[in-house]
Amino acid sequence: MAKITASVYTSHVPAIGVAMDLGKTDEPYYAPLFAGYEAGREWMAENPPDVVILVFNDHANAFSLEMVPTFALGMSASYEPADEGWGARPVPTVEGHPKLSAHIAHSVIRDDFDLTLVNDIPVDHGCTVPLSIMFGQPEVWPCKVIPVIVNVVQYPIPSGKRCLELGKAIRRAVESFDEDLDVQIWGTGGMSHQLQGQRAGLINEPWDRAFMDRMIADPELQAAMDHVDYVREAGSEGIELVMWLVARGAMADLADGGEPVEVHRHYHVPASNTAAGQLILEDSR
Ligand code: DHB
Ligand code: FE
């Protein structure tokens, strides 16, 4: 059977992808940020997944504002990197797993989540930057990827509780798939992060660090936090952090299993004008 083995949480700042694409990762501005990614990449090389369920938000690139699904699931065999206005990133095509996507769609929708099924979309930095952070610059991505796209762009957006529950439903789906697959689930976006207005550049490091602590120890408490609290504490785009709860909801401890094990944590300011955070939790076996 397929198994969820770990969850990964990471910011998806576009400038991080640009730094890699342009060979700037050794520059003084970026060196400490990328140094902090080394341990996670080593862990990933030792724990390669067959499939990553990659939870991110589209930034009005694939969906525009004509159509904004709350939760969408990628069903395709492949996803091209999006052109976000300056050409597509020079990264490999993202290969999907249509059979597992179809199973997840069936299981999660029959489990009362009304997913939008997406048969053809480009994937923006929300998807490609986490892949670059975790895998570097390979010729082909070393695993299949199933995009789960969450609306955090146009209000109303789903609650933290709804995101956590979606993660639990995704776990039930994966663990009922009749094929031996090592599946990781990644939640992306955040951390402190306000890109516009008078508070642009807002960074709240104590809050970000406390968020990571709660993500590990008490995700149900974190899931009860209201949107306005994220926005006040972590900035208008800090709300992207609710997507971490989808990944956390898929861990064993929320399905009568053991506690996850923290294998890596990284926090760095600045990345663009935001904070970058990363967390890796291994599921109990
Ligand atoms: C930026 C954009 C993002 O989508 C994000 O998650 C972080 C930073 C940016 O434009 O700097
Ligand atoms: Fe973003």
Side-chain angles (χ1 to χ4, degrees), residues 12 57 59 125 193 240:
H12 59 217
N57 65 294
H59 301 73
H125 67 270
H193 172 186
E240 287 186 346

Side-chain angles (χ1 to χ4, degrees), residues 192-226:
S192 282
H193 172 186
Q194 170 133 0
L195 300 176
Q196 77 262 288
Q198 286 188 343
R199 299 202 309 163
L202 174 133
I203 302 291
N204 187 347
E205 176 167 348
W207 190 90
D208 286 345
R209 291 190 182 277
F211 174 88
M212 287 208 238
D213 291 340
R214 282 193 300 275
M215 280 295 296
I216 300 165
D218 200 349
E220 301 275 3
L221 177 70
Q222 183 55 49
M225 183 176 282
D226 198 16

Side-chain angles (χ1 to χ4, degrees), residues 11-15 57 59 84 124-126 188-193 195 237 240 271-275:
S11 302
H12 59 217
V13 185
N57 65 294
H59 301 73
E84 301 184 42
D124 76 5
H125 67 270
T188 81
M191 306 200 68
S192 282
H193 172 186
L195 300 176
E237 285 75 40
E240 287 186 346
S272 175
N273 58 351
T274 73

